Every structure is written in C-alpha cells, then in structure tokens.
Amino acid sequence: MDLSRFMFPVEERPIAIHDGIQDIMDIDNRNTFLSADYKALVRADTNEPISIVRNTYQVVPNSVLINQLMQELVGMETPFVVEPSHSFVMNNKMRLQIKFPELVVHDDDSDIALSLYLHNSYDGSEGVRAFFGAIRDICTNGMVFGKSIAKAYHRHTSGFELGKISESLSEITELMPSIQARINVLIGTDPDDDLYESIEKQLGKRMLKQVHESTQEHPSKWDVLNAITYIISHVMDQRMQARYQLAASRVFAL
C-alpha cells in the first residue's frame, strides 16, 4: 500500500476575511484578518483549505506519525502488513490499520488477526489516538477489542503512546487467550432481549433492523456481532467506522 498519499504537507496561515464594506479583500489591512487566536490549516501541495483552528492547536503531521510508527514496527520481530481495507486518508483526517498476521484468534470459519488502528486529524475532531482490534480474514470484517485491551492500559498513566508499541503489543499478546475465550463464549451463547436493547441504544435502531434482516433464524451472539462488523466494514462511511466499532466492543464486552 502506498503511504505517500497520507503524507501531504500542511501549512499554518493567517486568515483574511471580508470587512463587509469593500468589494475586494484588502490583505494589507490587518483589520481584515481574524485575530491571532485563530489560524488556517492548508494543504500546501494543492492549496486546499482544511480547517480553521485556534492558534494553540498543535499540528501533528501524518508523516511524522507514520514514519515513527514504521520505524518502531520495523525494529520489532513481529511481522506486520498495512491493511488497506480499513485504512483511509482525507485532507482533514486519516486512519491507518496495521495487521499482525501471526497474532491470531479464531472462530469456526476464519483466522482473526490482531490489528493496530492509528488515527490523526487536522480539524480538531480527534487527537492522535491508536487502539487495537482485529480483522476477520474471510470477510475483512474489522472489529475493536476495546474492553479487553483496556486491561493492558491501566499500567500506563498516559494511555497508548507511539514509541511504546512493542510494550503494548507484548501486553496484548498476553491477553489473546482471554480474547479467544470471550469469542468462544459469544459463539456458544444465544442473543437475548438485553443484547438487542443494548445494540439499539449503542448503535441505533437502523443498525438493529439491519442485524435482524441479515442474520439467520437462530443466530449466536457471535453471528450477531459479525453481522454488525460486516455492516460497519462494508456499508458504512469509513469516517464513521471507528465510532461504531468501539460501540460494538462495548455491547459485546470485547
């Protein structure tokens, strides 16, 4: 996967505005600029505006994050690949998924490889964040192990940090048997009214309707989760996927 498209240059620029009187903007008149409390972020290679943010907003370039991540991953012994199915980049935000094909749990149909999701934005919608999940090989359904992985974070007062991937990955590897055990429980358990009420509350009525329409007559909880992750991974706008993956993690205690 070509990562160069994630690494476009971003510049900070002052913001000129119309003064409401002249027909043209007078860039020499400082009264036609927003105060120093604000700045514009612009994609430098195309001159496209990205966002207006407060002057205190700290820009963390995608290129810095990705290069730092790749440098650390290459120095580890664990094989990895960039997973394109759940990676995307726009001018204002990005998501990069790294899959670890040798770190897997299983269900009856597929290997489910551990993944790392790295997020960044240039519009203040989210800070730099990363969390672990998995991707189901048979259908590229992506999921997030939010509750399980949180057990590994309590040791780090500042949460997940780039530069400590190897430590986090070691802790997550130790948790893989418990994640597998949770998957086995979901495979062997029928859904009940409480589960469907939780789906409606956390993921919405529309999702619940789609789940009922796409699952077999007597699904397991795992079947229901896979119906949800399929919808998130293959139907939903990529910008919304992380939010719903995290919500599904809460519903199914994964």
Side-chain angles (χ1 to χ4, degrees):
M1 181 176 173
D2 181 13
L3 295 179
S4 62
R5 61 193 181 92
F6 287 74
M7 301 185 184
F8 53 84
V10 174
E11 292 182 352
E12 300 178 3
R13 298 181 186 174
I15 306 166
I17 58 174
H18 199 284
D19 65 2
I21 299 175
Q22 303 180 76
D23 291 331
I24 60 173
M25 196 174 299
D26 182 4
I27 61 173
D28 294 323
N29 181 359
R30 298 306 301 179
N31 292 325
T32 62
F33 282 77
L34 286 185
S35 71
D37 290 339
Y38 294 90
K39 60 188 175 185
L41 300 184
V42 177
R43 178 164 173 164
D45 58 344
T46 62
N47 213 37
E48 295 173 271
I50 299 174
S51 63
I52 296 174
V53 295
R54 286 195 172 274
N55 199 48
T56 53
Y57 182 85
Q58 297 296 313
V59 177
V60 182
N62 293 343
S63 57
V64 171
L65 289 175
I66 293 173
N67 287 332
Q68 183 178 347
L69 175 64
M70 291 299 156
Q71 183 177 7
E72 185 171 4
L73 290 174
V74 168
M76 294 165 51
E77 296 181 357
T78 306
F80 70 93
V81 295
V82 177
E83 173 57 51
S85 64
H86 288 262
S87 299
F88 74 90
V89 62
M90 303 165 56
N91 281 355
N92 63 329
K93 64 178 56 181
M94 72 148 210
R95 185 190 209 196
L96 188 66
Q97 181 177 7
I98 305 297
K99 181 172 72 173
F100 303 96
E102 293 186 0
L103 300 178
V104 297
V105 289
H106 311 271
D107 62 12
D108 294 336
D109 300 314
S110 176
D111 288 341
I112 307 167
L114 186 71
S115 288
L116 170 70
Y117 301 91
L118 177 66
H119 287 239
N120 191 31
S121 77
Y122 292 134
D123 60 3
S125 58
E126 61 179 333
V128 176
R129 61 174 180 162
F131 43 85
F132 282 96
I135 187 164
R136 201 164 177 247
D137 285 350
I138 195 172
C139 51
T140 63
N141 284 9
M143 60 188 70
V144 169
F145 295 152
K147 183 171 182 178
S148 298
I149 300 311
K151 297 175 184 177
Y153 287 167
H154 75 278
R155 305 174 205 179
H156 305 298
T157 56
S158 58
F160 184 93
E161 295 181 33
L162 287 176
K164 294 186 177 180
I165 300 260
S166 57
E167 294 178 21
S168 297
L169 195 60
S170 176
E171 294 173 351
I172 302 313
T173 301
E174 294 176 6
L175 290 172
M176 296 293 276
S178 66
I179 295 172
Q180 181 67 68
R182 179 59 184 158
I183 289 173
N184 293 343
V185 168
L186 294 175
I187 291 172
T189 308
D190 296 333
D192 53 21
D193 290 341
D194 287 343
L195 177 68
Y196 289 127
E197 288 175 7
S198 183
I199 291 171
E200 181 175 347
K201 180 179 179 180
Q202 296 283 342
L203 298 161
K205 292 182 178 180
R206 182 178 180 184
M207 177 67 79
L208 181 59
K209 181 176 183 292
Q210 290 175 304
V211 167
H212 284 312
E213 291 173 348
S214 60
T215 51
Q216 56 194 7
E217 187 174 354
H218 299 292
S220 67
K221 285 186 176 181
W222 183 246
D223 293 327
V224 174
L225 174 58
N226 278 302
I228 291 171
T229 56
Y230 183 88
I231 293 165
I232 294 171
S233 299
H234 300 282
V235 179
M236 193 167 288
D237 188 301
Q238 287 180 314
R239 294 170 295 179
M240 303 296 294
Q241 288 178 354
R243 171 189 167 190
Y244 281 88
Q245 286 172 334
L246 288 166
S249 171
R250 291 192 296 269
V251 170
F252 291 89
L254 259 178

